[in-house]
Amino acid sequence: MRRALLFVILAALGCEREMASMMEGGPMDGGRPDVPVDMPDGMMPDIGPLDAEPPDVEPPDADPNPLRVNHMQVRGTNNSYHTNTNPFDLEFRDYYHLPLSEQAGEQGIRFFDFDLDPDRESSIVLEPRVSDALDIETICPSWFICLFELDLWMDENPRHALFVFFIAESWRFNSPPFLFQQLDDLEEDAVLTLGRDRILTPADVRGEYRTLREAIQQRGWPTAEEARGKVMLVLNDRAEARTRYLERGGLDPEDRLLFLIGEPARAEDPDTGDEVIFSFEPEFDGDPWYFETEPAELERMRDLAAAGYLVHGVSDDPQMIDDLQAAGTHFVATRYPEDVFGEIPPAGPVACNLVTRPDDCDPAEFEAAPR
């Protein structure tokens, strides 16, 4: 029923071409695994084992130290919607990405980055594109259709590892009250296209703990199996959109869909207990972009990863990509995935994190290599 409704909406939007290309990907009725919401006891890298006994619901042969979300390392694309449309001949715009389903399938991308551009005439819906004024065309014309394309791919690949989406920037949005409506629309589109059961929310991770930080320190992130086939939505903003989202909390303040980006300098601040994801995005410097992360910042990333937080970093330089991976960066993104990452390794699209992995980490447990 949900899928039929999506096609009616797409037809009304005049997206017959996108619908046809999505239909070519295969059947749309692929099954979805039942993902448990309870997480077994575990340990953080710098905390040690807990004294509590495993819950009674655990089967007797359950792994006492399963692989968790923060034990993995995934490939990502920066501005994942970007094409090589470059009317002003700007060198830093001279790159393009494959369609999202091909990024996921052929390049092993599990981290996607979207700059959402609200329709400023209605000030409500996130249309007509997911880019700024310099990106006249994109590989999918809206946030809704981007999600729909990935939803189809996930139907056909239900055993994929956790997807992570970074979304939004505050300056693209209107001021209240429209900003509240736009944030609601963002969540509504995610639920309509993906289904609520496919979204890993802060409440899912927090459980009975007071804050997300307490949850990951005392119990740990969800296991790789619990997060399999799901997506995590992250609001990549430290300004007004973030403030307004905290004020009202999206569609349901008790069950927000979006995780928040933390300020690395405030990582130990007790007042920021729900900030468990940190982004390190180097400044624009020259033409084209030149991403360089200082050694001290790499060490900071390593410390955050070791403490159980999730870390995001960006670079177009192969050596810096290696440095980011060595520092325990979980989401390693670039504009040039073919040049920087190359083919999907034989072990599969997801690697064991070089800082947080347990000794017996097997990347195939996150996601098996493609056949």
Side-chain angles (χ1 to χ4, degrees):
M1 181 68 181
R2 181 176 65 88
R3 189 54 53 78
L5 176 61
L6 288 174
F7 272 100
V8 171
I9 294 173
L10 288 174
L13 292 172
C15 299
E16 292 85 356
R17 178 176 60 84
E18 288 78 8
M19 291 168 56
S21 63
M22 293 172 186
M23 286 290 292
E24 293 174 358
M28 296 180 297
D29 57 352
R32 297 183 180 179
D34 294 327
V35 182
V37 296
D38 294 328
M39 292 175 286
D41 289 342
M43 63 182 70
M44 295 301 296
D46 58 344
I47 293 176
L50 303 178
D51 294 330
E53 293 293 328
D56 294 336
V57 296
E58 285 292 321
D61 58 347
D63 184 352
N65 296 300
L67 288 180
R68 298 184 178 276
V69 166
N70 66 307
H71 295 153
M72 70 180 184
Q73 198 166 61
V74 300
R75 300 172 165 195
T77 46
N78 185 247
N79 297 334
S80 303
Y81 52 84
H82 185 80
T83 70
N84 201 21
T85 302
N86 192 8
F88 302 104
D89 196 28
L90 300 175
E91 189 174 355
F92 72 91
R93 294 276 177 179
D94 191 20
Y95 69 100
Y96 70 95
H97 290 304
L98 296 175
L100 298 177
S101 58
E102 294 180 30
Q103 290 185 45
E106 297 180 15
Q107 297 177 326
I109 300 301
R110 297 294 177 267
F111 171 91
F112 297 90
D113 169 50
F114 299 103
D115 294 331
L116 301 181
D117 189 9
D119 182 343
R120 296 184 183 273
E121 292 183 3
S122 66
S123 301
I124 296 176
V125 295
L126 297 172
E127 300 284 351
R129 57 187 182 272
V130 290
S131 63
D132 58 43
L134 293 178
D135 282 323
I136 298 175
E137 295 181 3
T138 59
I139 58 177
C140 46
S142 73
W143 161 246
F144 181 90
I145 295 176
C146 284
L147 291 181
F148 185 44
E149 179 180 351
L150 286 170
D151 178 70
L152 295 178
W153 187 89
M154 287 187 282
D155 274 346
E156 298 168 14
N157 301 272
R159 299 288 297 171
H160 73 83
L162 174 72
F163 272 157
V164 180
F165 301 155
F166 267 31
I167 50 180
E169 287 182 281
S170 188
W171 63 271
R172 300 177 186 276
F173 288 80
N174 295 114
S175 297
F178 297 128
L179 178 56
F180 288 124
Q181 296 171 312
Q182 291 165 349
L183 291 169
D184 286 353
D185 289 337
L186 190 157
E187 289 195 348
E188 286 178 348
D189 282 355
V191 172
L192 182 60
T193 52
L194 302 172
R196 171 60 184 81
D197 61 312
R198 260 192 181 146
I199 302 173
L200 182 69
T201 71
D204 295 333
V205 177
R206 186 183 302 109
E208 299 302 318
Y209 290 89
R210 185 176 61 88
T211 67
L212 283 174
R213 292 190 180 186
E214 287 184 7
I216 66 171
Q217 289 171 355
Q218 299 299 320
R219 181 184 53 204
W221 283 93
T223 67
E225 191 60 39
E226 289 165 338
R228 190 179 309 285
K230 291 198 170 190
V231 303
M232 177 185 288
L233 305 174
V234 182
L235 184 62
N236 186 15
D237 180 84
R238 299 185 180 97
E240 187 173 18
R242 167 201 170 89
T243 300
R244 300 304 177 184
Y245 192 69
L246 283 171
E247 282 182 10
R248 203 180 68 178
L251 296 174
D252 182 359
E254 299 301 318
D255 189 17
R256 294 173 181 154
L257 302 188
L258 309 182
F259 288 81
L260 301 174
I261 284 289
E263 182 63 50
R266 301 184 63 200
E268 286 79 27
D269 190 332
D271 295 330
T272 56
D274 277 343
E275 294 179 351
V276 292
I277 303 174
F278 296 90
S279 179
F280 291 79
E281 300 185 12
E283 297 294 326
F284 178 89
D285 182 15
D287 189 7
W289 278 337
Y290 177 65
F291 289 126
E292 182 176 5
T293 304
E294 297 296 328
E297 204 163 57
L298 288 170
E299 190 61 32
R300 181 65 172 144
M301 299 166 90
R302 178 185 293 275
D303 291 343
L304 289 168
Y309 301 118
L310 300 182
V311 181
H312 162 247
V314 185
S315 182
D316 294 330
D317 177 67
Q319 179 58 55
M320 183 55 63
I321 290 289
D322 290 344
D323 292 342
L324 291 172
Q325 291 173 332
T329 307
H330 298 87
F331 317 128
V332 184
T334 182
R335 294 179 300 165
Y336 305 100
E338 290 187 358
D339 297 335
V340 172
F341 295 135
E343 297 180 355
I344 298 176
V350 182
C352 294
N353 190 290
L354 296 177
V355 170
T356 65
R357 64 183 178 185
D359 292 339
D360 60 349
C361 181
D362 179 0
E365 292 187 37
F366 294 116
E367 181 176 344
R371 297 178 180 177

